Amino acid sequence: MDQLRQSLLDAPIIEKGDYEYFVHPISDGVPMLKPGLLREIVIKIIRKANLENVDKIVTPAAMGIHISTAVSLMTDIPLVVIRKREYGLDGEVSLHQQTGYSEGDMFINDVNEGDRVLVLDDVLSTGGTMKAVLDALDHIGADVVDTVAIIKKAGPNELDDSEHHVKTLINVTVEDGEVVIVDEHGDD
C-alpha cells in the first residue's frame, strides 16, 4: 500500500466548518488519480473482501463509483450505484444520509431481498452515509456479505455501536492540518 500511504501523507487539508477534510484522488477526484494507485487499491480490495457468492457490488455516488467500477471489471460482479437522484422506478428505496459536512437523500435501485452484496465506498469518516446505506439494505432484505471502505478517518463514527462491521485498507487521522497514518493495514 505504498502509493496509497504516500498519497495520503501528501494530501492537502481544507476546513469545512469545524471539520478537517483531506483532499485526495480517491475521495475527491483531485489531484488526478494515477492508474497505479487505483490498481493497488483494487488488488487490496479483492484480497481483503469476502467476494464468494456476492451477486452485486453496491456503492454510493459519487466517489465510490470509480473504485467499484474497477473492482467490477476485475471480478465480473455487477455494480449498483446508489444515486442522489430519485428516478421513481419500481422497487426504488430512499435513504437519508448525513455526514460531517453534508446531508441529503439517496436512492437505491436494483437491489432486492436475498441479493448478496458487497458494499464498497471511498471513505468512512462520520459513518453517516455507510450507516444509512447498510440500514437501507437491511430494510430491503439484502444479505450484506461484506463491507469495505478504502480509507477510514479514525475516531468515533455512527457504526461503532451497530452490528455492522466495515473493513478498511488504511486508517488515518488529521492532526494539526496533516494526515497521520494510524494503521497502514486498516481494519479486518
Side-chain angles (χ1 to χ4, degrees):
M1 298 301 296
D2 294 335
Q3 292 179 67
L4 178 57
R5 183 180 189 285
Q6 191 59 52
S7 66
L8 283 161
L9 293 173
D10 294 340
I13 306 299
I14 62 171
E15 292 197 20
K16 292 190 170 194
D18 293 336
Y19 189 84
E20 289 186 300
Y21 186 95
F22 56 84
V23 180
H24 190 269
I26 292 300
S27 56
D28 302 289
V30 293
M32 78 175 141
L33 176 57
K34 295 179 181 174
L37 174 59
L38 182 58
R39 189 177 307 109
E40 178 181 88
I41 289 167
V42 169
I43 290 168
K44 185 69 173 176
I45 291 167
I46 291 170
R47 289 180 178 158
K48 193 167 231 186
N50 177 5
L51 299 176
E52 190 173 335
N53 300 317
V54 168
D55 300 316
K56 298 173 182 175
I57 298 168
V58 176
T59 192
M63 294 314 298
I65 295 173
H66 56 297
I67 301 158
S68 298
T69 298
V71 173
S72 176
L73 287 168
M74 294 297 295
T75 61
D76 287 326
I77 299 171
L79 171 61
V80 173
V81 177
I82 300 173
R83 302 294 311 229
K84 294 178 181 176
R85 174 182 297 169
E86 182 176 12
Y87 291 93
L89 300 173
D90 287 342
E92 185 170 73
V93 173
S94 67
L95 61 103
H96 187 77
Q97 57 94 23
Q98 183 172 352
T99 70
Y101 52 88
S102 71
E103 134 176 51
D105 293 323
M106 300 183 83
F107 303 89
I108 302 175
N109 286 283
D110 297 318
V111 177
N112 303 301
E113 183 176 353
D115 284 349
R116 298 169 301 205
V117 302
L118 165 66
V119 178
L120 189 53
D121 203 5
D122 60 329
V123 176
L124 175 63
S125 184
T126 65
T129 299
M130 187 67 79
K131 183 173 186 327
V133 166
L134 292 169
D135 288 349
L137 291 169
D138 285 346
H139 174 75
I140 291 168
D143 176 15
V144 178
V145 175
D146 211 347
T147 306
V148 178
I150 309 313
I151 303 164
K152 177 181 178 184
K153 190 170 179 188
N157 68 62
E158 290 191 34
L159 295 170
D160 288 342
D161 296 325
S162 78
E163 62 188 47
H164 301 293
H165 175 72
V166 180
K167 294 177 181 174
T168 60
L169 302 189
I170 193 166
N171 299 347
V172 303
T173 190
V174 177
E175 295 176 11
D176 299 322
E178 293 190 13
V179 174
V180 175
I181 307 297
V182 174
D183 184 344
E184 65 183 48
H185 302 291
D187 298 328
D188 288 323

